[in-house]
Amino acid sequence: MTVATVEDLKSLFTDIAEAMAREKDRLCELDGVIGDADHGIAMELGFAAAAKAVSELDETADPTLVFNTAAKSFLNAVGASSGPLYATALMRAGASAKGKTSLNDDDMVEIVAAFAKGIQDRGKAEVGEKTMVDAWAPAAAACRSAREQGQPLAACLTAALEAAKVGAEATKDMIAAKGRSSRLGDRALGHMDPGAASAVVVISCLHAHFSP
Ligand code: ADP
Ligand code: MG
């Protein structure tokens, strides 16, 4: 059984911020094709701000405070539509961790589910509308289903990552119904949604962090 401590969560945010810095150009290029080319900048700024703010929390912080602090910093740092979407995801993760001092396998699976649900509730996008929901929703479902079959967290996150990659790939065949790229109609066909691509980056970091 994995036990994720506040220190684990802090270093997870650092991992995600570093990954977004590496992926920034690719994400901006994807957004350049069907949006306004800023998605990599938004994700890098948001997670850098979140990682810095959580790293400054003292030893009395609990997981809820880590996620809530990350949410507030992400929202303040990002003007793009990914700002409120990820801030809501992080707030929901905070609510899901309420009262816990560390997070076990079940709790971490619920964190992934809370993330996906938060993004869906905030943006009102369904699967098939060419958004980050096309990666997050199947990832959360695969994660939960692996856990229900008794898999340990690492295997649940492997299932989540696989599902996120398949979901992101599938956005190439979709016409966008939400967000900036919905103005393009079928000109968006053939191109991966940048938000789905960055969701794969976040889930890859989760997977790498909790894999033995
Ligand atoms: P902006 O479109 O404001 O420039 P970003 O470039 O940071 O914001 O993010 C774009 C991504 O946000 C899209 O690729 C898509 O995945 C996601 N997105 C946009 N609108 C929604 C929505 N209503 N629900 C879920 N995701 C959305
Ligand atoms: Mg954009």
Side-chain angles (χ1 to χ4, degrees):
M1 174 75 76
T2 312
V3 178
T5 62
V6 162
E7 286 312 310
D8 283 313
L9 297 176
K10 287 180 175 183
S11 71
L12 177 61
F13 278 103
T14 304
D15 291 350
I16 300 174
E18 287 172 2
M20 289 304 169
R22 287 194 301 273
E23 300 285 350
K24 177 174 120 182
D25 290 347
R26 182 176 70 91
L27 296 172
C28 282
E29 275 162 30
L30 287 172
D31 197 28
V33 182
I34 63 166
D36 58 354
D38 67 348
H39 187 61
I41 296 166
M43 294 300 281
E44 186 195 18
L45 279 176
F47 277 107
K52 180 169 188 296
V54 302
S55 75
E56 289 163 358
L57 293 171
D58 69 20
E59 67 283 352
T60 63
D62 63 6
T64 295
L65 183 62
V66 172
F67 285 116
N68 288 350
T69 302
K72 206 192 291 173
S73 322
F74 198 104
L75 189 63
N76 288 339
V78 177
S81 50
S82 45
L85 292 165
Y86 270 99
T88 306
L90 289 160
M91 290 296 290
R92 293 293 181 82
S96 146
K98 193 107 200 124
K100 300 178 199 290
T101 50
S102 64
L103 305 175
N104 64 22
D105 289 21
D106 287 327
D107 299 331
M108 285 306 301
V109 169
E110 289 314 308
I111 293 288
V112 175
F115 242 76
K117 178 95 172 38
I119 289 167
Q120 252 186 305
D121 287 349
R122 185 73 178 83
K124 307 271 179 259
E126 300 293 337
V127 166
E129 294 189 321
K130 200 178 181 91
T131 71
M132 58 177 77
V133 168
D134 289 301
W136 274 110
C143 195
R144 202 175 239 164
S145 140
R147 188 67 193 144
E148 280 164 7
Q149 286 158 32
Q151 299 290 324
L153 180 62
C156 298
L157 292 173
T158 302
L161 179 57
E162 279 313 306
K165 285 179 179 169
V166 170
E169 198 60 34
T171 63
K172 288 182 180 170
D173 299 326
M174 294 174 192
I175 293 171
K178 291 281 188 312
R180 217 173 273 283
S181 55
S182 61
R183 299 171 201 157
L184 291 179
D186 59 14
R187 278 180 290 151
L189 279 177
H191 306 290
M192 186 182 288
D193 176 67
S198 65
V200 171
V201 176
V202 174
I203 296 164
S204 295
C205 291
L206 264 166
H207 173 257
H209 196 92
F210 293 105
S211 291

